[in-house]
Amino acid sequence: TQPSRSNFKGAPGLVHLQNVYRGTHMEGVKPGSIKWLRVVESPPKKTWSGGSWNGQGYQAPGMNWHDFTAKRILGDVPIEKDGSAYLQVPSDTFIYFQALDENKMMVQSMRSGTVVQSGETQSCIGCHEDRLKTDAAAAAGVTLAGKRAPSKLAGWYGPARAYSYAQEIQPVFDKHCIKCHNSKKYNAGV
């Protein structure tokens, strides 16, 4: 007989980060300075993009993950005082993480990504943990984040959505910049 199986289809994934300050390239980052963990989706590329300067940036759907990938900020969660985080993420979605300071400015960004399957819990020791070493501190015990329910993503200026320069950035320029920085003043020598 076939063993019974759980059906997790559509369930969120869970991620447990033990200590955001542990890992390569985190030297000099003061403990307590990272306040937030941002989750960013890199949706599948659907169209061809080619750089006009014969350099980096070429990308074809399904071929590589390079400069011109689309990004979608899914939200942020708090980092605990011990550097830990425990959070729900959308399952079956290619995501990566960014460590943010108190002003939500990026201090470190994950250079790869991950997919958490429906109902799965993933964990990591820290940011850019060394894949060639084991960390004795990883067995140090339960983290502050591990003692509570997982955080849910707090949206970034509203619900998660595809990024659009015309909708996100141009209105800011139109409202705050264009009255002084425009072609009429430029042509008049102002």
Side-chain angles (χ1 to χ4, degrees):
T1 65
Q2 186 175 14
S4 63
R5 298 176 184 207
S6 297
N7 179 5
F8 294 117
K9 194 69 178 157
L14 298 173
V15 173
H16 178 257
L17 165 64
Q18 188 173 23
N19 187 342
V20 73
Y21 304 105
R22 187 176 298 129
T24 59
H25 305 292
M26 294 305 285
E27 303 87 12
V29 178
K30 270 175 73 177
S33 63
I34 306 296
K35 304 293 185 186
W36 303 95
L37 187 69
R38 174 165 288 155
V39 180
V40 181
E41 176 186 5
S42 187
K45 184 78 172 165
K46 295 180 181 176
T47 59
W48 180 275
S49 60
S52 60
W53 54 90
N54 294 324
Q56 292 185 343
Y58 288 97
Q59 183 181 13
M63 292 176 72
N64 65 354
W65 185 50
H66 214 295
D67 289 343
F68 293 146
T69 55
K71 305 291 185 284
R72 189 165 82 130
I73 296 173
L74 300 178
D76 306 332
V77 296
I79 295 286
E80 299 290 344
K81 290 179 184 176
D82 64 352
S84 65
Y86 182 43
L87 58 144
Q88 266 187 17
V89 296
S91 60
D92 310 311
T93 302
F94 184 76
I95 57 173
Y96 65 94
F97 305 101
Q98 295 178 329
L100 309 177
D101 67 13
E102 70 276 359
N103 298 313
K104 295 200 174 181
M105 300 297 287
M106 185 183 72
V107 175
Q108 184 67 274
S109 184
M110 188 173 178
R111 294 181 296 240
S112 59
T114 190
V115 175
V116 184
Q117 300 299 314
S118 298
E120 178 185 23
T121 300
Q122 279 189 15
S123 63
C124 59
I125 295 169
C127 278
H128 303 280
E129 61 190 65
D130 190 333
R131 64 184 177 80
L132 301 176
K133 289 190 224 172
T134 57
D135 193 336
V142 180
T143 64
L144 291 174
K147 295 178 182 179
R148 60 165 174 75
S151 299
K152 293 189 180 192
L153 296 173
W156 183 74
Y157 296 102
R161 63 207 175 279
Y163 175 83
S164 164
Y165 179 89
Q167 293 174 345
E168 306 280 344
I169 303 300
Q170 191 61 52
V172 175
F173 286 147
D174 292 347
K175 183 177 180 181
H176 299 288
C177 306
I178 211 73
K179 62 185 169 204
C180 296
H181 301 275
N182 60 55
S183 61
K184 289 178 187 169
K185 287 192 175 191
Y186 174 77
N187 291 334
V190 176

